[in-house]
Amino acid sequence: MEYDKYAHEPFAVTADLAVLTILDGVLHVLLVERGQEPYQGHWALPGGFVQPDESAETAARRELAEETGLSDVSGLHLEQLRTYSEPDRDPRMRVVTVAFTALLPHPPEPHGGSDAAQARWVPYDTAGPLAFDHDRILADAHERVGAQLEHTCLATAFCPPEFTLGELQQVYETVWGTALDRPNFRRKVLATPGFVEPVPGAARLTGGRGKPATLYRAGAATTLRPPLLRPTSEGRPA
Amino acid sequence: MEYDKYAHEPFAVTADLAVLTILDGVLHVLLVERGQEPYQGHWALPGGFVQPDESAETAARRELAEETGLSDVSGLHLEQLRTYSEPDRDPRMRVVTVAFTALLPHPPEPHGGSDAAQARWVPYDTAGPLAFDHDRILADAHERVGAQLEHTCLATAFCPPEFTLGELQQVYETVWGTALDRPNFRRKVLATPGFVEPVPGAARLTGGRGKPATLYRAGAATTLRPPLLRPTSEGRPA
DNA sequence: CCCTTAATAGTCAGTACGACTATAAAGAGG
DNA sequence: CCTCTTTATAGTCGTACTGACTATTAAGGG
């Protein structure tokens, strides 16, 4: 790195977030409506400028707290996705964006955020054309999360502290968009030590219609060996 | 993203590279010796400032060409690793670094690079304390490449256009640091459609001592389904 | 009281995998 | 020229895992 080259051009650096959650069995993403040009009135991923004293991670967590109104975002899953730096991705100036993915269990109502724009949970499939290159960022986030489900215990990040195996399976089915065989999924999950552990208490009391399910907690494991691969569905180009 | 917040602070953006290759069965990384403060005389990952008209990817590829002296870097594997943005990672100013990994088959002698510093291939294990947070970047790159070998056909990027299965296996063994069973490795690789394809010509003529091996080319596949998992070695914390 | 719903248990054949053994084809050294 | 070493390649075998099922259990709804 050559330092005397500096002052060539300053970059603005932002941290943008693809905040995903599952509402009523449908994958949702948190979007904000832009209150100003460019792309005024368009929907975009929440985010903001990285401040002088914070890292991109810190900025992302701060923005996440502001946009969702969550009081405690310290335990939430936040992961760097990748950085987008094409010169023309912003019509106004040179902006480099470090994108993050965040996974929420049962999300709160986003209360407009601290900024003028309003925030809303939007079904992933109907997240129309977004501002800037946010369509691509969102697609990258979806693909990344889908891939992570195969190799990590990340799925529990979509679930509340205590959950049933049915709910965990729904996470996989929702993100992957495929149906899974229930007994096989159960066998696989329980055979992975540290993925989930049963809650000593009793079964679920919620207004479910069928047999009550036992509740589980996230275990200590983070990686899935062997992985839980999504159905080949032959279509996936190798 | 709020634009009127801009002008708060300019960031310098650099693209740094963890260029890996295998020399004599040992994983090597390309390092440059810094010619100026800070960290003058220390070794560091090659890299440089992103110019106004280029993306981080473009800058990384340009730096790669400059440092390695390769005339054609268009076909080489280059992949974004992650971005490092801690406020204090550079003692001089606020620098955000987009890190990349690059994989080379048979590398050329690095001829000092275009910048004053000299460049050299250094065994990964002896890549001592590096400047800035480059130790961490290098470790992240190693871990990422190791993980990619499990799920992608990336290993061929370490090999010349035509290679033997023994050479391909050596890539896995070198990066993972573990020995693999040769017949099983061979069975697995050949059972994955599109991973490698035999070269119609004859076997290798090189001065090998044993039975000549058939030559293979990289196939069209990019992902490995099912994955080629590294030996559990029980030690890996799940 | 029966039907529906959902959770959980269990079966079974095909496949993948790890650990081996065996054979083939080259060079090295006497 | 023969043998030993080296490396590639072929094949075996028992275990574990997977996908596709069927069966049973425990709730709620009409």
Side-chain angles (χ1 to χ4, degrees):
Chain A
M1 292 191 288
E2 313 303 318
Y3 284 82
D4 39 14
K5 279 187 188 168
Y6 182 54
H8 271 346
E9 168 152 354
F11 292 75
V13 177
T14 67
D16 287 0
L17 288 147
V19 189
L20 301 177
T21 196
I22 294 176
L23 289 173
D24 302 323
V26 177
L27 187 66
H28 281 66
V29 58
L30 182 67
L31 296 180
V32 298
E33 190 176 5
R34 290 186 52 78
Q36 50 199 323
E37 291 296 336
Y39 293 101
Q40 181 167 12
H42 287 67
W43 293 88
L45 299 178
F49 283 92
V50 177
Q51 299 299 315
D53 59 338
E54 60 183 9
S55 68
E57 285 78 2
T58 304
R61 205 168 279 277
R62 171 178 54 75
E63 294 286 342
L64 177 61
E66 290 177 9
E67 303 287 352
T68 61
L70 279 173
S71 56
D72 180 26
V73 295
S74 59
L76 295 178
H77 180 86
L78 192 67
E79 185 177 323
Q80 194 180 121
L81 175 61
R82 58 159 290 179
T83 295
Y84 299 84
S85 62
E86 280 67 40
D88 57 349
R89 55 184 298 276
D90 190 299
R92 286 235 223 154
M93 68 182 93
R94 190 64 198 273
V95 177
V96 169
T97 289
V98 186
F100 293 82
T101 59
L103 271 37
L104 265 61
H106 186 230
E109 279 306 308
H111 57 298
S114 60
D115 300 321
Q118 64 162 318
R120 219 170 45 138
W121 291 107
V122 177
Y124 177 85
D125 290 328
T126 69
L130 302 180
F132 307 103
D133 52 359
H134 288 190
D135 286 307
R136 185 187 166 199
I137 297 178
L138 180 55
D140 288 349
H142 184 205
E143 183 183 319
R144 170 78 71 95
V145 171
Q148 300 242 80
L149 289 189
E150 294 189 285
H151 312 297
T152 71
C153 299
L154 187 62
T156 55
F158 277 108
C159 296
E162 298 187 346
F163 52 87
T164 69
L165 290 188
E167 292 170 331
L168 187 67
Q169 180 176 349
Q170 202 186 45
V171 170
Y172 279 88
E173 293 180 332
T174 300
V175 175
W176 287 349
T178 63
L180 298 176
D181 181 80
R182 199 182 282 267
N184 289 342
F185 177 83
R186 151 181 220 82
R187 186 214 308 167
K188 178 79 184 182
V189 169
L190 294 179
T192 304
F195 191 176
V196 298
E197 52 187 26
V199 176
R204 155 145 301 194
L205 328 148
T206 70
R209 277 193 296 283
K211 177 177 175 178
T214 55
L215 288 174
Y216 291 85
R217 266 195 227 103
T222 66
T223 61
L224 239 48
R225 282 184 71 89
L228 205 163
L229 299 176
R230 66 187 106 184
T232 42
S233 75
E234 36 75 37
R236 277 166 48 86
Chain B
M1 292 190 287
E2 314 304 319
Y3 284 84
D4 39 14
K5 278 187 187 170
Y6 181 56
H8 270 350
E9 168 152 354
F11 292 74
V13 177
T14 68
D16 286 0
L17 288 146
V19 189
L20 300 177
T21 195
I22 294 177
L23 289 174
D24 301 323
V26 177
L27 187 65
H28 281 66
V29 58
L30 182 66
L31 296 181
V32 297
E33 189 175 7
R34 290 186 53 79
Q36 50 198 323
E37 292 295 339
Y39 294 100
Q40 181 168 11
H42 287 68
W43 292 88
L45 298 178
F49 282 91
V50 177
Q51 299 299 315
D53 60 337
E54 61 183 9
S55 67
E57 284 79 2
T58 304
R61 205 168 280 277
R62 171 178 53 76
E63 295 286 343
L64 177 61
E66 291 177 8
E67 303 287 353
T68 62
L70 280 173
S71 56
D72 180 26
V73 295
S74 58
L76 295 178
H77 180 87
L78 193 65
E79 185 178 322
Q80 193 180 121
L81 175 61
R82 59 160 290 179
T83 295
Y84 300 84
S85 62
E86 280 67 41
D88 57 348
R89 57 183 296 276
D90 191 297
R92 284 233 224 156
M93 68 181 91
R94 190 63 197 273
V95 177
V96 169
T97 289
V98 186
F100 292 82
T101 58
L103 271 37
L104 265 61
H106 186 230
E109 279 307 308
H111 56 298
S114 61
D115 300 320
Q118 63 163 320
R120 218 170 45 136
W121 291 107
V122 177
Y124 177 85
D125 290 329
T126 70
L130 302 180
F132 307 105
D133 52 0
H134 288 190
D135 285 307
R136 185 188 165 196
I137 298 178
L138 180 56
D140 289 348
H142 184 206
E143 183 182 318
R144 170 78 70 95
V145 171
Q148 301 241 78
L149 289 189
E150 294 188 284
H151 313 296
T152 72
C153 300
L154 186 63
T156 55
F158 277 108
C159 296
E162 299 187 345
F163 52 87
T164 68
L165 291 187
E167 292 170 331
L168 187 67
Q169 180 177 349
Q170 201 186 46
V171 170
Y172 280 87
E173 294 181 330
T174 300
V175 175
W176 287 349
T178 63
L180 299 176
D181 181 79
R182 199 183 280 269
N184 289 341
F185 178 83
R186 153 181 217 82
R187 184 216 302 164
K188 178 79 184 180
V189 169
L190 294 179
T192 304
F195 191 176
V196 298
E197 53 186 25
V199 176
R204 156 146 299 194
L205 328 149
T206 69
R209 277 192 297 284
K211 176 177 175 178
T214 55
L215 289 174
Y216 290 85
R217 266 195 228 103
T222 66
T223 61
L224 239 48
R225 282 185 72 90
L228 204 163
L229 299 177
R230 68 187 104 183
T232 40
S233 76
E234 37 74 38
R236 280 167 44 87

